[in-house]
Amino acid sequence: MTDETALWAASLPPDATVFEGVVARTLATLPAPFGQAAAHIAVQIDDFAPDAMLAELGIENPFELTGLYSGIPLTEKSVMEQPMEPDTIWLFRRPILDEWVARGDIELGALIAHVFIHELAHHFGWSDGDIATIAPWQD
């Protein structure tokens, strides 16, 4: 066995725990009051989006969806309407890993953080300019 083969022989793809760690570190870097407000949003990490979600969005290839915000954006919330489910940010592990490999020009943690921040932007009603100011992203 070569040194390179030995190096990769015990390697496994990053699991949901790795993604959770990146989300936690990303939340910790958000300026107040965003970090505190974002901490109340549920985060769901799955390998792929559920079939019903893909169908509702009209997406046939599950690799096309890396993340999704489900909930009512803060800019549209009303005290008169109570949500049926908690605001949730979904991160889809396999499509994110696939994009990471296909790009080959970004660290995995940065890509996970980017997808998370993009979905968080839907919750807060941020524009692309807001995202660049609040949570800078470098392409």
Side-chain angles (χ1 to χ4, degrees):
M1 183 180 293
T2 67
D3 288 342
E4 185 174 345
T5 304
L7 174 68
W8 292 102
S11 296
L12 296 173
D15 62 10
T17 305
V18 171
F19 280 59
E20 291 166 359
V22 172
V23 167
R25 287 188 298 279
T26 302
L27 282 171
T29 65
L30 290 174
F34 302 115
Q36 295 154 338
H40 299 290
I41 300 169
V43 177
Q44 178 73 34
I45 300 166
D46 290 332
D47 277 352
F48 290 101
D51 290 339
M53 183 183 288
L54 292 169
E56 183 177 325
L57 296 169
I59 298 174
E60 292 183 21
N61 182 349
F63 282 97
E64 291 179 8
L65 188 62
T66 56
L68 183 75
Y69 168 73
S70 63
I72 302 170
L74 289 179
T75 55
E76 299 174 20
K77 285 195 188 272
S78 166
V79 293
M80 301 302 289
E81 298 176 35
Q82 294 300 313
M84 300 300 285
E85 297 178 6
D87 292 331
T88 304
I89 292 176
W90 299 76
L91 298 178
F92 304 115
R93 191 180 72 85
R94 294 282 308 279
I96 290 173
L97 291 174
D98 195 62
E99 179 178 336
W100 172 61
V101 170
R103 287 182 61 149
D105 65 349
I106 186 170
E107 293 178 0
L108 179 59
L111 182 58
I112 295 167
H114 173 67
V115 173
F116 176 71
I117 292 294
H118 178 85
E119 300 311 328
L120 190 59
H122 292 293
H123 172 72
F124 285 117
W126 293 343
S127 67
D128 288 343
D130 294 334
I131 294 172
T133 301
I134 295 164
W137 169 254
Q138 299 174 7
D139 281 320

